Amino acid sequence: MADKKMENVTIETKANIYFDGKVVSRTGYHTDGSRFTLGIITPGEYTFGVGPEENMQLIAGEAEVLLAGETEWKKVVAPDNFIAIADNEYKIRTNDILEYLCDYDEK
């Protein structure tokens, strides 16, 4: 996904800021109305609550994720993706600056 453009989308200008600014994203909408976030995660370990299912694709960097119901961390390297199950949480840890695109399944 490196250097890929997103066309025909609407982006909210207000940032989503988490963990004292260590994770920052912007919310956007595809032409069909589906929601996504495009953001950056700085080095650290974070736990995220999940509402609707999330399809998280790394654009740059690498990390390890611990998904709901799993006991072992899984390595993900851009352009890998992972699915975070709805109504759960997941952990992510990295020594990199991660860039990501997260699509939400809000059906």
Side-chain angles (χ1 to χ4, degrees):
M1 169 164 250
D3 300 325
K4 183 175 180 179
K5 290 182 182 179
M6 296 181 74
E7 296 185 12
N8 301 314
V9 297
T10 302
I11 303 289
E12 293 182 7
T13 56
K14 176 80 173 110
N16 307 304
I17 301 171
Y18 305 98
F19 304 103
D20 297 321
K22 295 176 184 170
V23 177
V24 178
S25 69
R26 294 282 196 285
T27 301
Y29 301 89
H30 297 284
T31 55
D32 66 1
S34 60
R35 181 172 61 104
F36 66 89
T37 54
L38 187 62
I40 293 175
I41 299 173
T42 62
E45 183 174 319
Y46 309 97
T47 301
F48 289 95
V50 178
E53 182 178 277
E54 299 180 10
N55 181 353
M56 182 85 131
Q57 180 178 10
L58 297 189
I59 297 169
E62 66 179 62
E64 293 181 303
V65 295
L66 183 61
L67 300 173
E70 296 186 4
T71 58
E72 294 192 25
W73 290 83
K74 174 185 169 189
K75 184 175 181 177
V76 287
V77 178
D80 290 348
N81 73 306
F82 62 90
I83 304 292
I85 300 169
D87 302 318
N88 273 286
E89 65 180 30
Y90 68 92
K91 294 182 180 188
I92 189 165
R93 63 185 180 197
T94 182
N95 293 320
D96 271 347
I97 293 178
L98 299 180
E99 296 178 52
Y100 69 88
L101 172 63
C102 183
D103 283 297
Y104 297 87
D105 184 355
E106 298 178 295
K107 297 176 187 173

